[in-house]
């Protein structure tokens, strides 16, 4: 049964906005990325989503396809973003299926709570490889198709009129705000996200002359997502929500709407930017994330236990 439209995209956008466009998304079975893709599909796009888990990815693709009658969404599982060959095969399959890739969302990521003392070298490397190397591999595998799409859909610099065929040649990297002020127990993720931001900025400079735009969306705390479950125990959710500047957590629709903005005509002159969608959350102290007793928790030498969604991998 299709999700209500209001769950994943606003009424501000016109139907058919992305007709005949194709989006390729890593991490597409995740809570946030699936909402981004679902919004684009509802507005006319077809899509390929990739992930590690075959069953989860294929089921999510089928579910996203219910957003619009006639939509085509391909779920490609068993893809490891750390392997360029694995990603290249997924991109080749997507292009064979749809003929092009117009938009890319690099959203594959890994996260868990751990202090620097607690996290091992291998665990740190794993997050860096999934987030940074995975984003780079996604870029390398898709950029030829984005350049081709940008060539077909360039904005007329004189009249400022978009191409009659709509937009294309755009990439969004999904990042975070953890590294803006520093966040305890998130060194691995903060370092990775800083690298992703730098990568996006460079893409904007190197491929902008070819018509490609590159931007970052940095979500804040988003309700009912795997990320929030990992970072906050359930007994702290209500207190944390009240402490937000807007008095609430964000929704996946907030991130999806930002995605539509950047991929539509509205984002034609937006490139090399970080679009923070967090209700000003990063401007308040991040020291209490995962524990309301900073720095006492840190000084105690305790490790994080029983955090919902925490990865079981050895740290």
């Amino acid at each position: 049964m299709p999700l209500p439209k209001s769950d994943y995209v606003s009424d501000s956008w016109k139907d058919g906005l992305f007709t005949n466009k194709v989006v390729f998304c890593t991490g597409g079975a995740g809570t946030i990325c699936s909402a981004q893709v679902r919004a684009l599909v509802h507005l006319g796009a077809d899509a390929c989503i990739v992930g590690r888990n075959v069953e989860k990815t294929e089921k999510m693709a089928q579910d996203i396809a219910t957003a619009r009658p006639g939509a085509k969404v391909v779920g490609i599982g068993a893809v490891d973003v750390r392997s360029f060959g694995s990603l290249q095969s997924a991109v080749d399959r997507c292009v064979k299926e749809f003929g092009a890739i117009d938009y890319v969302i690099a959203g594959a990521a890994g996260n868990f709570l751990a202090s620097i003392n607690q996290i091992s070298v291998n665990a740190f490397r794993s997050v860096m490889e999934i987030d940074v190397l995975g984003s780079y591999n996604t870029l390398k595998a898709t950029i030829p198709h984005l350049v081709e799409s940008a060539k077909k859909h360039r904005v007329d610099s004189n009249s400022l009129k978009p191409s009659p065929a709509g937009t294309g040649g755009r990439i969004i990297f999904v990042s975070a705000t953890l590294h803006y002020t520093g966040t305890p127990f998130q060194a691995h993720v903060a370092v990775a996200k800083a690298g992703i931001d730098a990568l996006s900025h460079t893409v904007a400079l190197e491929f902008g002359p070819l018509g490609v735009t590159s931007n970052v969306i940095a979500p804040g705390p988003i309700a009912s997502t795997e990320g929030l479950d990992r970072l906050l125990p359930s007994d702290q959710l209500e207190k944390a929500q009240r402490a937000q500047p807007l008095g609430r957590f964000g929704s996946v629709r907030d991130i999806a709407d930002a995605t539509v903005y950047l991929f539509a005509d509205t984002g034609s002159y937006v490139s090399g930017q970080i679009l923070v969608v967090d209700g000003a959350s990063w401007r308040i102290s991040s020291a209490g994330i995962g524990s309301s007793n900073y720095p006492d928790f840190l000084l105690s030498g305790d490790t994080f236990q029983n955090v919902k969604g925490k990865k079981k991998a050895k740290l």
Side-chain angles (χ1 to χ4, degrees), residues 13-23 37-47 67-72 98 100-103 149 152-153 163-169 260 263-265:
W13 314 106
K14 64 180 181 181
D15 290 342
L17 191 60
F18 299 116
T19 298
N20 298 322
K21 297 300 188 304
V22 179
V23 57
V37 176
R38 194 185 300 268
L40 298 171
V41 168
H42 178 89
L43 297 173
D46 292 319
R68 188 188 83 250
K72 296 180 181 179
F98 295 116
I101 293 176
D102 301 290
Y103 311 116
S149 178
K152 295 177 182 177
H153 305 108
S163 162
T167 63
V260 176
F263 282 166
D265 293 340

Side-chain angles (χ1 to χ4, degrees), residues 141-164:
T142 60
I143 194 62
H145 304 289
L146 291 180
V147 169
E148 186 63 27
S149 178
K151 189 185 302 182
K152 295 177 182 177
H153 305 108
R154 294 203 71 150
V155 173
D156 186 323
S157 298
N158 296 318
S159 66
L160 298 184
K161 289 183 179 179
S163 162

Side-chain angles (χ1 to χ4, degrees), residues 90-100 145:
V91 168
D92 292 345
R93 179 179 168 187
C94 185
V95 173
K96 182 178 180 180
E97 185 79 22
F98 295 116
H145 304 289

